[in-house]
């Protein structure tokens, strides 16, 4: 068909070392100029949690600018797209493979990346430093339980709270992994819960476990029914757990959040608290598994 152009993209699975697990991500690594509407339409077409487009950064301290789109909107920051894009930057030699520290530009500003050395034959563990975390309003436990289809006595006796490192997320702590698996976001109860709130909101339910947390995230406001792995909410998760002393003493300053298991996309998000109680920052890390390369024509 005359007038068509070709756009190469790659799909990787993030926060996993197993193909077809973790959170899939599409990355368009060639800096072809596309308008905002076209990028949004492509993200909706692919219908993954996020799609990333590379663009030149005007900042000397950033290797690349990342444009991150869910099927319904652009984000100022997101975790699994940052980790996945960092992998692609190294894999395509847009950042030297020997580089262990670099930064990318996102809507929220520069995001620092750290790459751990890998064993022979393995992909490295890639870390991002969570942007500053803002703590917001607290929510009624009974209304949160109703929104998730749970009984109030399944929740821990701590107030659900809104925290954000760029994407406002409501954190709800429950006692057992079974409650996490059984939860299902009720759209009408969710609408009542966030009545009067401005902007989009994610709902993050988790149970503290010995390894860290067992988690799920619902994001209908972003066009995402359920997200297999939410890196942008994992730093705030660690902050919320620290605030309420929910981190197992055996986990210490390094622990994990297991997410996406109920939906068949098991993801392991590593968390490293820098300094006591994360006062010097919270890093979120994961592995990336390359899956496929394709060309879109239109």
């Amino acid at each position: 068909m005359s007038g068509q152009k070709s756009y190469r993209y790659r799909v990787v699975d993030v926060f996993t070392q197993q193909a077809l697990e973790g959170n899939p991500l599409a990355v368009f690594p060639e800096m072809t100029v596309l308008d905002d509407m076209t990028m949004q339409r492509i993200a909706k077409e692919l219908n993954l949690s996020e799609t990333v487009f590379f663009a030149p950064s005007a900042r000397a301290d950033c290797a690349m600018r990342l444009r991150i789109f869910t099927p319904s909107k652009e984000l100022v920051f997101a975790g699994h797209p940052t980790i996945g894009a960092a992998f692609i930057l190294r894999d395509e030699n847009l950042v030297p493979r020997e580089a262990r520290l670099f930064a990318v530009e996102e809507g929220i500003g520069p995001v620092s990346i750290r790459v751990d050395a890998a064993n022979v034959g393995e992909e490295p563990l890639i870390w991002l430093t969570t942007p500053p975390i803002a703590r917001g309003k607290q929510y009624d436990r009974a209304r949160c339980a109703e929104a998730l289809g749970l009984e109030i006595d399944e929740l821990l006796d701590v107030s659900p709270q809104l925290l954000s490192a760029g994407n406002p997320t409501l954190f709800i702590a429950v006692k057992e992994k079974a409650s996490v698996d059984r939860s299902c976001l009720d759209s009408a109860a969710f609408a009542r819960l966030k009545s009067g709130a401005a902007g989009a909101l994610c709902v993050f339910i988790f149970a503290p476990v010995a390894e860290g947390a067992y988690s799920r995230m619902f994001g209908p406001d972003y066009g995402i029914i359920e997200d297999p792995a939410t890196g942008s909410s994992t730093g705030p998760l660690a902050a919320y757990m620290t605030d309420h002393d929910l981190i197992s003493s055996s986990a210490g300053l390094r622990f994990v959040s297991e997410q996406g298991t109920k939906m068949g996309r098991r993801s392991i998000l590593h968390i490293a608290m820098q300094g006591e109680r994360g006062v010097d920052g919270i890093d979120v890390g994961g592995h990336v598994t390359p899956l496929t390369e394709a060309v879109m024509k239109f």
Side-chain angles (χ1 to χ4, degrees), residues 71-145:
S72 65
K73 65 181 296 181
E74 184 173 8
L75 302 179
V76 298
F77 168 66
H80 104 276
T82 302
I83 299 291
F87 174 91
I88 297 294
L89 284 169
R90 298 178 73 251
D91 199 54
E92 303 232 343
N93 294 312
L94 297 170
V95 166
R97 289 191 64 86
E98 64 271 15
R100 293 287 180 249
L101 296 170
F102 59 96
V104 293
E105 180 187 359
E106 302 185 20
I108 203 167
V111 178
S112 298
I113 304 294
R114 173 169 56 87
V115 182
D116 280 357
N119 296 324
V120 175
E122 292 184 358
E123 298 293 352
L125 190 64
I126 300 175
W127 297 86
L128 64 83
T129 298
T130 301
I133 298 168
R135 291 163 171 81
K137 66 175 290 187
Q138 296 183 343
Y139 284 74
D140 179 73
R141 291 171 61 247
R143 295 185 69 184
C144 289

Side-chain angles (χ1 to χ4, degrees), residues 17-294:
Q17 293 177 285
Q18 302 292 326
L20 308 181
E21 294 188 2
N23 199 349
L25 174 75
V27 180
F28 285 75
E30 294 169 355
M31 290 177 282
T32 305
V33 176
L34 292 168
D35 60 75
D36 293 3
M37 182 178 293
T38 300
M39 288 188 283
Q40 185 63 76
R41 291 178 67 191
I42 289 172
K44 186 175 182 179
E45 175 74 19
L46 294 173
N47 202 34
L48 300 175
S49 294
E50 283 99 2
T51 297
V52 174
F53 300 86
F54 285 178
S57 176
R59 300 183 59 103
D61 58 348
C62 291
M64 192 69 67
R65 181 185 178 201
L66 308 184
R67 300 289 301 276
I68 304 171
F69 290 81
T70 75
S72 65
K73 65 181 296 181
E74 184 173 8
L75 302 179
V76 298
F77 168 66
H80 104 276
T82 302
I83 299 291
F87 174 91
I88 297 294
L89 284 169
R90 298 178 73 251
D91 199 54
E92 303 232 343
N93 294 312
L94 297 170
V95 166
R97 289 191 64 86
E98 64 271 15
R100 293 287 180 249
L101 296 170
F102 59 96
V104 293
E105 180 187 359
E106 302 185 20
I108 203 167
V111 178
S112 298
I113 304 294
R114 173 169 56 87
V115 182
D116 280 357
N119 296 324
V120 175
E122 292 184 358
E123 298 293 352
L125 190 64
I126 300 175
W127 297 86
L128 64 83
T129 298
T130 301
I133 298 168
R135 291 163 171 81
K137 66 175 290 187
Q138 296 183 343
Y139 284 74
D140 179 73
R141 291 171 61 247
R143 295 185 69 184
C144 289
E146 178 190 27
L148 290 168
L150 301 176
E151 300 296 329
I152 189 171
D153 61 4
E154 295 181 75
L155 273 60
L156 286 172
D157 191 18
V158 294
S159 295
Q161 187 174 8
L162 188 71
L163 284 81
S164 177
N167 297 314
T169 304
L170 172 59
F171 291 91
I172 303 170
V174 298
K175 299 173 183 176
E176 304 289 343
K177 291 170 62 175
S179 298
V180 177
D181 283 344
R182 191 167 55 254
S183 63
C184 182
L185 194 64
D186 180 277
S187 57
F190 177 54
R192 291 192 296 272
L193 179 68
K194 71 187 194 79
S195 177
L201 179 68
C202 303
V203 177
F204 197 105
I205 178 174
F206 72 96
V209 295
E211 300 80 15
Y214 180 79
S215 312
R216 293 176 73 186
M217 194 284 276
F218 304 102
D221 287 350
Y222 293 86
I224 303 166
I225 297 173
E226 180 173 356
D227 194 29
T230 316
S232 63
S233 295
T234 299
L237 166 69
Y240 179 82
M241 293 180 71
T242 299
D243 289 347
H244 296 284
D245 294 320
L246 299 178
I247 300 170
S248 167
S249 58
S250 62
L253 298 177
R254 288 283 299 268
F255 52 100
V256 300
S257 172
E258 178 183 343
Q259 189 180 335
T261 301
K262 175 64 176 178
M263 61 186 300
R265 303 283 319 195
R266 184 172 185 263
S267 305
I268 300 297
L269 296 90
H270 296 260
I271 301 164
M273 308 288 280
Q274 304 300 330
E276 186 178 358
R277 301 178 73 84
V279 294
D280 297 324
I282 300 174
D283 292 349
V284 176
H287 290 95
V288 180
T289 300
L291 189 64
T292 191
E293 184 171 338

